[in-house]
Amino acid sequence: MSILTQAIYDHLAADGILVALLSSYKGEPAIFTIDPAPGDASTPYVVTAGEIVQTPFDSKTTRGRSLVRDVRIYDEASGSAIVIEAIAERVRLLLHRQPLSIGGYEWIISDCGGPIVADERDYYGRIISLSLTAEEAIGS
Amino acid sequence: MAAGTYTLKWTPQAVKKAVMGELVANGEIVGKFVETEARRRLLSIRDPEWGMAYRSQLVARLLTYEMESSNKEVTIRVGVRPSQSGRHHGFYIELGSKTAPAHPFLRPAVFQNAAHIVALLAGR
């Protein structure tokens, strides 16, 4: 599993405001780390699975990674994008320049691009691109 | 001027012009390189199988680069051109949709090759 998957899930799922805006799936907040989400999942939900890019962030004495990952949000096209935009803004607030707790790594910096619109015929979509740099924790 | 001494005249405009000319020439190489990388990644996507013809015959054909230069900057854009049948070809391949997984091919072509792109821009 990516070093980031658990970290993002935990960070988003711990936020009560975001969880209240999302639906739930099998008793858990609808934040999926598989792509696409299960067919029986109800909207609105978040999908974040796998890195777009992953490059080394090494120095002579340290090892690290720079990653880019998309966080996608979907909701039924009901005629109003208020809910999906509130979710997207909340996700951005939670991830943009906010420290993440990543197992075995020390967070250095992260920032978000977007949200951008990715609407489909029957669903609204918003996408946030998270760029993150982390360094292996000393002793890990 | 005394023998053995040299005069070096620094003309900023001439230097800028020379640098810009080199960037434009090397930018063409970078644009073609990233376009080729993106196309290679696009053509290696196997899922979903029913989208193979769309990816290989339409999106790959519309994939291109363009360059713009002004006095102050050189811009290289790599992406999928709109066609008569739509304006967002490749968008949902790159970013995924509610029902289809993402298969990024544009951003990795740039970011996975960042060091090489910088070297090409520098003419190395």
Side-chain angles (χ1 to χ4, degrees):
Chain A
M1 179 187 283
S2 156
I3 61 161
L4 201 52
T5 300
Q6 191 69 48
I8 289 187
Y9 179 87
D10 290 346
H11 195 69
L12 297 181
D15 183 69
I17 294 173
L18 177 64
V19 169
L21 289 166
L22 297 173
S23 68
S24 60
Y25 184 75
K26 297 186 175 172
E28 301 292 333
I31 302 167
F32 297 101
T33 55
I34 55 166
D35 184 16
D40 60 345
S42 55
T43 58
Y45 61 66
V46 170
V47 174
T48 177
E51 272 71 57
I52 310 304
V53 181
Q54 186 163 171
T55 51
F57 184 77
D58 296 348
S59 71
K60 189 174 179 183
T61 56
T62 61
R63 297 286 178 267
R65 303 184 200 189
S66 287
L67 314 163
V68 178
R69 173 184 279 240
D70 288 338
V71 180
R72 290 151 47 198
I73 303 138
Y74 295 103
D75 193 14
E76 201 168 332
S78 60
S80 167
I82 287 174
V83 172
I84 194 167
E85 290 189 348
I87 295 169
E89 285 301 319
R90 190 70 194 169
V91 168
R92 186 183 186 280
L93 185 79
L94 291 169
L95 295 176
H96 184 66
R97 304 215 167 213
Q98 297 296 324
L100 283 178
S101 178
I102 307 167
Y105 280 78
E106 285 178 11
W107 174 90
I108 296 176
I109 186 73
S110 52
D111 58 65
C112 290
I116 63 165
V117 174
D119 290 347
E120 299 171 37
R121 186 191 299 266
D122 298 320
Y123 293 93
Y124 298 137
R126 297 291 184 275
I127 299 175
I128 292 166
S129 291
L130 170 70
S131 302
L132 179 140
T133 301
E135 203 170 69
E136 285 181 18
I138 294 169
S140 67
Chain B
M1 183 191 305
T5 63
Y6 301 92
T7 303
L8 182 65
K9 194 176 178 191
W10 178 258
T11 50
Q13 288 307 320
V15 172
K16 281 183 190 173
K17 195 175 171 185
V19 169
M20 193 58 83
E22 201 159 316
L23 273 179
V24 168
N26 294 337
E28 291 283 349
I29 297 169
V30 168
K32 192 68 197 168
F33 168 75
V34 175
E35 179 196 316
T36 305
E37 271 289 292
R39 185 173 290 108
R40 182 181 66 76
R41 290 166 190 271
L42 175 68
L43 295 175
S44 70
I45 299 169
R46 293 284 172 265
D47 166 46
E49 201 177 335
W50 50 259
M52 188 75 86
Y54 172 70
R55 293 191 296 271
S56 64
Q57 291 171 29
L58 184 66
V59 181
R61 186 169 55 78
L62 294 171
L63 184 59
T64 190
Y65 76 95
E66 59 185 31
M67 263 192 42
E68 273 177 24
S69 61
S70 65
N71 287 338
K72 291 186 177 172
E73 62 186 22
V74 174
T75 307
I76 308 164
R77 290 194 191 84
V78 181
V80 183
R81 287 193 316 266
S83 77
Q84 286 182 335
S85 61
R87 296 192 53 79
H88 296 102
H89 297 300
F91 182 86
Y92 294 100
I93 299 174
E94 174 80 15
L95 295 169
S97 70
K98 185 178 179 292
T99 52
H103 292 292
F105 63 100
L106 285 169
R107 287 172 291 174
V110 177
F111 295 118
Q112 291 286 147
N113 294 302
H116 189 57
I117 289 169
V118 170
L120 287 174
L121 280 173
R124 293 194 292 267

